[in-house]
Amino acid sequence: MENKYSMEIIRARKLEKKEKLNNSKDKIFRLTQRLFAPPQTKSKMELIMHNFNSGMAAYDGIMTGIRIYRRVKDILGIRKSNRAVK
């Protein structure tokens, strides 16, 4: 019976997977840099408005998350236990 796996095959696959992983890391890094880079603005007013809009979007996202959490909690009937410690 012939061995399907040899050290060379394993080593080659390991290098291939390592290269794919490094490429994925680089792609994620570039994407996050582009997403979180400060905007290219022409004036201070545009920068202030961008910061205000970003803050409002974050606030809106948090409030929406809280509302969804409360509704899911009500639907599932999750309640705080009011047991007194004896």
Side-chain angles (χ1 to χ4, degrees), residues 14-29:
K14 181 180 174 183
L15 289 173
E16 177 186 322
K17 295 298 179 183
K18 194 178 247 187
E19 185 178 337
K20 274 186 167 181
L21 181 64
N22 286 335
N23 289 340
S24 294
K25 283 182 183 180
D26 290 341
K27 188 175 181 180
I28 290 169
F29 178 76

Side-chain angles (χ1 to χ4, degrees), residues 26-66:
D26 290 341
K27 188 175 181 180
I28 290 169
F29 178 76
R30 285 191 310 272
L31 179 64
T32 54
Q33 289 296 313
R34 194 174 60 210
L35 284 174
F36 296 108
Q40 301 295 326
T41 60
K42 296 176 183 170
S43 68
K44 293 253 184 201
M45 190 61 185
E46 285 182 19
L47 182 61
I48 290 169
M49 288 306 296
H50 175 75
N51 288 338
F52 178 77
N53 287 336
S54 296
M56 286 303 293
Y59 173 77
D60 187 43
I62 291 169
M63 293 308 293
T64 302
I66 289 171

